[in-house]
Amino acid sequence: MTGVKMDPRIRKTKASIRDAFVRMMQKKEYEAITVTDIAENAQINRKTFYAHYETKEQVFTQIVEEMFLDLFETFMYEKKMPGKALDEQRLTSDARAFFDKVESYREALNTLIGGKTAYMAFDIADRVIYDCLDRIHVTTGDDEGIVPASLFVSRIKNFFFTGIDWWLDQDQLTSEEAAIIYSRMMRKSTANIFRYEQMRSTKKET
């Protein structure tokens, strides 16, 4: 993130291209989609497409990166809590916010992480998660200081992806009901060590 604001017209055009790409993914296999397909669906010409993206692979990558970054930042973010007591109400509230966020991406998730593009999407998602974890340290619940969250990477990824998959399979529960169940599971595990103890974000030194 550079902090530089993007021209609203450019932002709108790129969003139209990404939306068109997802729509095309619902109609065709990834390999069969062409730049012409995307441009026509987005109601632009090929020249305009190439002014923003070099290939359809770049479009796919940006969609998945932005989606999983948004999801992961909802799932895991800097949170300072008084003492070491677990705020169960806040945990449930945050779990609901996470499931609501997943719901907002339901169509894109079902389209992009299904079928032949699943391995591509999860490879990109892994990179997003590792980059986020590289900037986060967490307390261990004792007085021995902090450790890199990357040490808990398998545990973190498991809760993150399992939560997404589980919610996408739900058709009976509300996000509030799902949050109560999910937070109950987190309370019974050691997973809360990386999210609900005091967390500190640190920037990588350059």
Side-chain angles (χ1 to χ4, degrees):
M1 300 295 291
T2 62
V4 178
K5 291 185 177 181
M6 184 184 299
D7 185 297
R9 292 169 299 179
I10 296 176
R11 187 186 303 112
K12 182 178 180 180
T13 300
K14 296 185 77 170
S16 295
I17 291 172
R18 294 195 297 272
D19 290 344
F21 181 85
V22 174
R23 288 194 296 271
M24 292 306 305
M25 284 281 293
Q26 295 168 348
K27 299 176 181 179
K28 289 185 174 183
E29 292 290 341
Y30 175 81
E31 294 81 359
I33 297 174
T34 66
V35 169
T36 299
D37 290 331
I38 301 171
E40 289 180 350
N41 199 278
Q43 298 183 328
I44 60 173
N45 56 45
R46 287 168 55 89
K47 184 177 180 180
T48 300
F49 175 92
Y50 285 118
H52 300 287
Y53 297 99
E54 294 181 6
T55 63
K56 69 176 183 182
E57 287 77 17
Q58 282 191 344
V59 181
F60 180 87
T61 297
Q62 185 176 40
I63 292 172
V64 176
E65 282 180 344
E66 292 183 353
M67 178 171 62
F68 277 101
L69 178 61
D70 194 18
L71 288 169
F72 195 71
E73 287 185 341
T74 303
F75 177 76
M76 183 174 181
Y77 52 92
E78 183 174 354
K79 180 185 298 295
K80 294 184 178 180
M81 299 182 63
K84 295 180 180 179
L86 185 63
D87 187 335
E88 297 183 7
Q89 184 175 357
R90 187 170 185 177
L91 186 152
T92 301
S93 175
D94 288 344
R96 180 178 181 179
F98 173 63
F99 287 127
D100 284 340
K101 179 69 71 173
V102 174
E103 183 63 31
S104 72
Y105 284 112
R106 177 180 289 273
E107 184 176 4
L109 284 165
N110 283 330
T111 300
L112 300 174
I113 68 175
K116 298 179 181 179
T117 57
Y119 77 94
M120 297 168 54
F122 284 120
D123 182 58
I124 295 168
D126 275 350
R127 294 202 303 270
V128 169
I129 291 172
Y130 276 111
D131 181 62
C132 290
L133 294 178
D134 200 33
R135 293 180 282 109
I136 297 174
H137 288 67
V138 301
T139 62
T140 59
D142 54 34
D143 297 322
E144 297 180 4
I146 59 177
V147 296
S150 55
L151 287 178
F152 301 104
V153 64
S154 294
R155 218 173 269 173
I156 293 171
K157 287 173 59 180
N158 180 62
F159 268 79
F160 177 64
F161 288 121
T162 299
I164 291 174
D165 289 342
W166 180 69
W167 175 249
L168 291 177
D169 285 338
Q170 298 305 310
D171 57 8
Q172 301 294 327
L173 298 175
T174 65
S175 60
E176 184 173 5
E177 291 169 334
I180 292 172
I181 295 171
Y182 200 68
S183 60
R184 184 185 306 142
M185 180 180 67
M186 290 191 73
R187 290 198 303 271
K188 292 179 180 296
S189 75
T190 56
N192 60 59
I193 194 173
F194 64 81
R195 184 154 191 256
Y196 290 97
E197 294 290 345
Q198 180 177 349
M199 296 174 57
R200 303 174 185 175
S201 296
T202 57
K203 294 183 178 180
K204 294 169 60 178
E205 294 185 0
T206 58

